[in-house]
């Protein structure tokens, strides 16, 4: 009886979850089709992305838009849009009131128009005076020169819901749009990214007209359990305890003693929505040379006395050759050999410019819900009433300094400091502002010292009269939790040795991997992995590749129609994947491919078994 009751409860829970998925998917369609004629049309600009998100009841900031539309983005498809909506939740009334409450320190329920104008025109996504005035002049919440922000929040949420409802009503009443509701078109999307021709598999004949969706990892944007499986294939890989820690990466110090070397640091940062961003690099070789490239998590001297969570994070580096345009990068190789926490590649590279794209699967660098009691103190007042940094906060700032010091010279150049500014505030420090820093904080050779960096943060605390709010914004954006542990970032170091010339490496940007990295990951799996045809379907292929301590699977859809693939890992043992789900579904567009999942051992000291069934729904 108890088993039946439990089974019934589980069934009801699954039905409820599937109903929620269906409603979510309908709302996504409704918003998308308010802006576009078909869900097969792509978003082709930041303005279109902003508009379609607003139709879905979101109010994205410029920082949010830039997160999803990077310098390498050319378009986003409907599935990308669904994935964004899952990450960007609509603001609640409590969240809005809390934000206004930080300005209304007296808790009066009102904010003076002049104070509001000053904030909205100088911080964040800066508005014009005219835009702010159009808000404050609204009679509904204009109370004699003061904004009744409680009424404003109510109007904001009501307007947002009306916008979503209008989109849903249009979807329900338009027969043409209703036909598109479950994506049953057979026409092909003209958008996508052509993949470089991979090495042919000896087991499978290949076409080369592939296109790649912009995101290589996302949860399903439509219900996955409504239909039964038509075709499936199973893959099993057994890995012995600790055997994944070494794959013959031998760095011969004696041989390379006469080689020329270069080193550069960087960092992976975990975004609020779970996306991972990192530094990207440009490598220049003056002439053809034998090269050795390695990447590993970076041990920070200041952090030796406490747990360094990031040292167990997997890292990799993809090497792409720059041709005539940055958009036309071709995968050369990647760091597939492993020695403990270090991944590397040895080979020969011709003269020219290469892009180095760092990568981590997200299996170990991920959002973890932990109960944290209390909050570390950041500042205190001495006997004279002067503010000072606590010992713990100073230690965290010195860790941050080491992470920012990309060239490892003990100083922060303007370029290095600007990565800090972009990460924490979204803005850059120009030469004029840097000159002001030079007048107020310790510098050497026009670069900021450790003491100067500490004093700069102390000044910020003084500007807020000891209020740590802005300091916590900085710390959280750099991967620290409330106990000052770096749990959502992974510093790394790249080492390059070349036999015939001096390698020159420079950090170019700090952003998500984007389509170039997605394409590189898929290409690496296609060229090195084992291919299996999905039983019962001649146009769906599953590629599985083990590289050191990780296993990656890629789904290729050669058919003219998009397909939904159900992925089941229930028979795997001692495994974790980047999605955090044992069972899930993904949609693969026509003539395209995407990463199904990345899998690693939960405990490397024990044997782990990867057993995955991919089924066509």
């Amino acid at each position: 009886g108890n088993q039946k009751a439990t089974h019934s409860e589980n069934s009801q829970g699954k039905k409820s979850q599937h109903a929620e998925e269906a409603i979510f998917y309908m709302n996504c369609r409704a918003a998308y089709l308010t802006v576009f004629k078909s869900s097969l049309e792509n978003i082709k600009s930041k303005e279109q992305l902003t508009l379609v998100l607003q139709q879905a009841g979101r109010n994205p900031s410029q920082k949010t838009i830039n997160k999803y539309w990077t310098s390498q983005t050319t378009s986003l498809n409907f599935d990308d849009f669904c994935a964004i909506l899952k990450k960007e939740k609509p603001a609640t009334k409590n969240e809005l009131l809390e934000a206004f409450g930080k300005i209304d320190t007296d808790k009066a329920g009102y904010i003076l128009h002049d104070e509001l104008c000053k904030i909205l025109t100088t911080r964040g996504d800066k508005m014009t005076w005219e835009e702010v005035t159009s808000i404050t002049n609204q009679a509904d919440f204009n109370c004699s020169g003061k904004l009744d922000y409680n009424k404003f929040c109510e109007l904001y949420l009501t307007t947002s819901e009306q916008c979503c409802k209008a989109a849903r009503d249009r979807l329900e009443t338009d027969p043409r749009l209703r036909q598109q509701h479950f994506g049953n078109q057979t026409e092909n999307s003209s958008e996508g990214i052509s993949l470089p021709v991979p090495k042919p598999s000896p087991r499978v004949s290949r076409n080369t007209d592939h296109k790649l969706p912009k995101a290589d990892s996302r949860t399903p944007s439509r219900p996955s359990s409504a239909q039964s499986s038509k075709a499936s294939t199973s893959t099993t890989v057994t890995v012995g305890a600790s055997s994944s820690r070494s794959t013959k990466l031998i760095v011969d110090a004696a041989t390379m003693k006469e080689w020329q070397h270069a080193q550069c640091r960087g960092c992976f940062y975990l975004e609020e929505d779970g996306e991972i961003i990192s530094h990207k690099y440009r490598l220049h070789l003056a002439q053809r040379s034998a090269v050795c490239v390695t990447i590993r998590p970076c041990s920070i001297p200041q952090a030796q006395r406490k747990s360094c969570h990031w040292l167990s994070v997997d890292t990799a580096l993809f090497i792409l050759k720059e041709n005539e345009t940055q958009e036309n990068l071709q995968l050369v190789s990647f760091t597939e050999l492993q020695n403990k926490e270090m991944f590397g590649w040895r080979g020969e590279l011709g003269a020219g410019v290469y892009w180095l794209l760092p990568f981590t699967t997200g299996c170990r660098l991920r959002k973890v819900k932990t109960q944290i009691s209390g909050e570390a103190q950041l500042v205190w007042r001495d006997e004279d009433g002067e503010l000072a940094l606590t010992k713990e906060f100073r230690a965290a700032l010195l860790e941050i300094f080491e992470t920012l010091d990309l060239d490892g010279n003990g100083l922060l150049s303007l370029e290095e400091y600007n990565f800090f500014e972009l990460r924490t505030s979204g803005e850059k420090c120009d030469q004029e502002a840097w000159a002001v820093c030079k007048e107020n904080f310790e510098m050497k050779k026009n670069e900021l010292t450790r003491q100067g960096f500490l004093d700069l943060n102390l000044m910020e605390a003084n500007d807020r009269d000891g209020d740590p709010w802005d300091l916590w914004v900085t710390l959280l954006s750099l991967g620290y939790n409330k106990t000052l542990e770096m749990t959502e970032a992974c510093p790394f170091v790249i080492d390059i040795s070349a036999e015939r010339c001096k390698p020159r490496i420079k950090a170019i940007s700090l952003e998500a991997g984007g389509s170039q990295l997605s394409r590189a990951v898929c290409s690496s799996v296609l060229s090195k992995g084992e291919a299996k045809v999905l039983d019962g379907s001649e146009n769906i292929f599953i590629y599985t590749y083990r590289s050191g301590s990780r296993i990656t699977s890629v789904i290729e859809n050669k058919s003219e129609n998009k397909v939904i693939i159900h992925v089941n890992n229930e028979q795997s043992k001692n495994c974790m994947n980047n999605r955090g789900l044992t069972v899930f579904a993904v949609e693969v567009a026509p003539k395209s491919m995407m990463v199904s999942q990345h899998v690693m051992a939960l405990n490397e000291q024990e044997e782990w078994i990867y057993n995955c069934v991919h089924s066509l729904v």
Side-chain angles (χ1 to χ4, degrees):
N2 289 337
Q3 289 180 339
K4 288 182 179 179
T6 302
H7 178 74
S8 177
E9 289 174 4
N10 290 339
S11 298
Q12 291 297 325
K14 287 181 179 179
K15 287 181 180 178
S16 175
Q17 180 182 353
H18 298 326
E20 289 177 6
E21 288 180 354
I23 292 171
F24 170 78
Y25 185 66
M26 179 187 71
N27 288 335
C28 292
R29 284 253 176 218
Y32 205 81
L33 295 175
T34 301
V35 179
F36 302 102
K37 293 180 180 179
S38 164
S39 60
L40 292 178
E41 283 191 47
N42 283 4
I43 301 168
K44 297 181 180 178
S45 68
K46 286 185 177 182
E47 292 72 24
Q48 285 185 342
L49 178 58
T50 301
L51 181 59
V52 75
L53 285 174
Q54 289 171 342
Q55 291 296 330
R58 309 309 193 259
N59 187 28
S61 64
Q62 194 57 49
K63 184 178 179 181
T64 299
I65 295 297
N66 290 340
K67 180 167 63 174
Y68 297 109
W69 196 281
T70 70
S71 59
Q72 294 180 336
T73 306
T74 56
S75 65
L76 296 170
N77 61 27
F78 174 69
D79 282 337
D80 296 327
F81 171 68
C82 293
I84 292 172
L85 286 189
K86 284 196 173 185
K87 296 172 184 177
E88 302 297 331
K89 305 296 184 183
T92 65
K93 185 174 181 179
N94 286 340
E95 289 171 340
L96 293 171
L97 291 176
E98 183 181 349
F100 279 111
K102 288 184 173 66
I103 304 172
D104 178 24
T105 54
D106 297 330
K107 308 303 179 187
Y110 301 93
I111 299 174
L112 292 174
H113 287 178
D114 289 345
E115 183 180 3
L116 185 66
C117 284
K118 182 179 178 181
I119 292 171
L120 295 181
T121 56
T122 58
R123 295 187 187 179
D125 287 354
K126 300 179 183 66
M127 299 174 66
T128 65
W129 279 94
E130 291 76 14
E131 289 172 332
V132 178
T133 303
S134 68
I135 296 174
T136 57
N137 284 343
Q138 294 277 345
D140 289 339
F141 37 84
N142 183 354
C143 301
S144 304
K146 295 181 291 186
L147 177 81
D148 183 339
Y149 58 80
N150 203 346
K151 288 184 178 179
F152 174 81
C153 290
E154 289 176 357
L155 180 64
Y156 169 84
L157 293 172
T158 301
T159 304
S160 178
E161 176 53 35
Q162 288 174 346
C163 185
C164 294
K165 185 177 183 301
R168 289 194 300 269
D169 290 345
R170 180 170 175 266
L171 181 67
E172 289 297 319
T173 56
D174 190 328
R176 180 184 61 84
L177 298 181
R178 279 185 62 82
Q179 184 185 5
Q180 295 187 30
H181 183 70
F182 291 104
N184 56 356
Q185 306 91 331
T186 57
E187 58 193 284
N188 293 327
S189 170
S190 60
E191 294 295 323
I193 304 171
S194 298
L195 283 170
V197 179
K199 183 191 296 183
S201 165
R203 294 173 294 280
V204 182
S205 61
R206 314 193 41 76
N207 291 332
T208 58
D209 56 338
H210 305 302
K211 295 175 182 178
L212 177 69
K214 304 300 180 291
D216 72 352
S217 176
R218 58 173 180 262
T219 50
S221 59
R222 62 181 72 219
S224 60
S225 61
Q227 297 112 326
S228 60
S229 300
K230 296 179 182 177
S232 66
T233 188
S234 175
T235 302
T236 302
V237 179
T238 301
V239 184
S242 301
S243 67
S244 61
R245 300 291 285 171
S246 180
T247 47
K248 301 180 181 178
L249 172 60
I250 300 173
V251 179
D252 190 342
T255 301
M256 295 194 301
K257 187 176 180 180
E258 303 301 322
W259 290 23
Q260 299 187 64
H261 308 278
Q263 185 181 87
C264 195
R265 298 175 184 172
C267 195
F268 295 109
Y269 294 106
L270 191 59
E271 295 280 56
E272 189 62 33
D273 57 21
E275 185 176 37
I276 296 172
I277 69 170
S278 77
H279 294 86
K280 294 181 179 179
Y281 305 85
R282 188 175 279 154
L283 169 67
H284 179 259
L285 295 175
Q287 64 183 88
R288 176 175 290 276
S289 175
V291 174
C292 178
V293 181
T294 65
I295 182 172
R296 57 183 168 83
C298 182
S299 179
I300 300 175
Q302 281 73 16
Q304 292 295 331
R305 296 182 182 178
K306 60 183 181 181
S307 175
C308 300
H309 304 274
W310 65 85
L311 291 179
S312 65
V313 172
D314 60 291
T315 59
L317 201 61
F318 287 84
I319 306 168
L320 285 74
K321 181 73 169 68
E322 184 173 288
N323 295 319
E324 297 174 0
T325 63
Q326 182 179 329
E327 290 74 23
N328 190 26
L329 302 181
Q330 292 185 337
L331 177 65
V332 175
S333 194
F334 61 100
T335 52
E336 60 179 319
L337 301 178
Q338 182 181 6
N339 182 11
K340 296 182 180 180
E341 75 280 356
M342 179 186 292
F343 280 80
W345 174 81
R346 291 189 66 168
E348 189 166 286
L349 294 177
V353 177
Y354 297 83
W355 280 79
L356 305 182
L357 305 185
F359 169 75
T360 183
T361 60
C363 290
R364 297 205 168 117
L365 183 60
R366 62 195 304 173
K367 290 284 180 181
V368 178
K369 293 182 180 179
T370 55
Q371 290 285 71
I372 296 178
S373 57
E375 180 180 296
Q377 185 179 353
L378 303 183
V379 294
W380 62 288
R381 291 190 183 275
D382 61 20
E383 295 177 353
D384 299 325
E386 295 293 324
L387 276 177
L389 306 177
T390 64
K391 180 181 177 181
E392 294 76 15
F393 185 34
R394 283 176 61 90
L397 287 174
L398 290 174
E399 288 176 11
I400 291 170
F401 185 94
E402 293 298 324
T403 304
L404 298 172
D405 182 16
L406 302 184
D407 60 10
N409 71 343
L411 301 167
L412 295 187
S413 66
L414 175 57
E415 286 184 344
E416 291 171 330
Y417 179 76
N418 268 333
F419 284 123
F420 168 74
E421 281 293 325
L422 286 170
R423 180 65 190 154
T424 57
S425 70
E427 298 179 355
K428 278 188 173 184
C429 174
D430 57 22
Q431 290 289 349
E432 185 177 346
W434 192 244
V436 174
C437 282
K438 191 173 183 179
E439 294 174 3
N440 292 277
F441 306 108
E442 183 181 85
M443 286 199 184
K444 291 181 180 179
K445 300 177 182 178
N446 202 36
E447 295 189 335
L448 192 64
T449 65
R450 289 181 176 85
Q451 187 58 50
F453 184 67
L454 293 174
D455 292 341
L456 188 150
N457 282 275
L458 178 59
M459 183 203 72
E460 185 173 342
N462 275 298
D463 286 347
R464 303 288 290 181
D465 196 27
D467 184 348
W469 170 256
D470 284 348
L471 299 177
W472 276 118
V473 169
T474 295
L475 287 165
L476 294 173
S477 66
L478 294 172
Y480 285 80
N481 63 19
K482 290 289 186 171
T483 61
L484 295 181
E485 293 181 303
M486 191 197 298
T487 57
E488 296 187 355
C490 172
F492 58 79
V493 59
I494 297 171
D495 285 286
I496 303 172
S497 301
E499 184 180 17
R500 298 190 184 97
C501 63
K502 174 70 175 176
R504 303 190 183 280
I505 181 174
K506 182 178 181 180
I508 300 299
S509 62
L510 178 61
E511 61 186 12
S515 58
Q516 295 287 4
L517 183 57
S518 298
R519 183 171 66 186
V521 172
C522 283
S523 294
S524 67
V525 174
L526 262 66
S527 63
K528 300 278 188 175
E530 176 189 2
K532 282 189 176 182
V533 181
L534 205 66
D535 293 342
S537 176
E538 60 181 14
N539 292 316
I540 312 298
F541 299 86
I542 309 298
Y543 296 84
T544 306
Y545 175 59
R546 178 186 162 198
S547 176
S549 58
R550 79 171 191 264
I551 292 173
T552 298
S553 63
V554 168
I555 305 170
E556 178 187 21
N557 176 17
K558 284 188 174 183
S559 74
E560 301 293 334
N561 304 305
K562 54 184 165 185
V563 296
I564 301 174
I565 304 296
H566 187 267
V567 185
N568 189 323
N569 296 293
E570 290 178 320
Q571 298 305 310
S572 293
K573 294 181 180 179
N574 188 29
C575 290
M576 63 168 73
N577 67 25
N578 63 306
R579 295 176 181 272
L581 299 168
T582 303
V583 179
F584 57 92
V586 292
E587 182 178 289
V588 190
K591 297 289 185 181
S592 72
M593 61 186 67
M594 64 179 292
V595 169
S596 170
Q597 62 181 340
H598 303 289
V599 180
M600 297 184 69
L602 199 58
N603 180 359
E604 287 189 334
Q605 303 308 312
E606 299 176 3
E607 179 184 79
W608 54 290
I609 300 174
Y610 168 73
N611 188 321
C612 179
V613 178
H614 287 83
S615 307
L616 181 64
V617 175

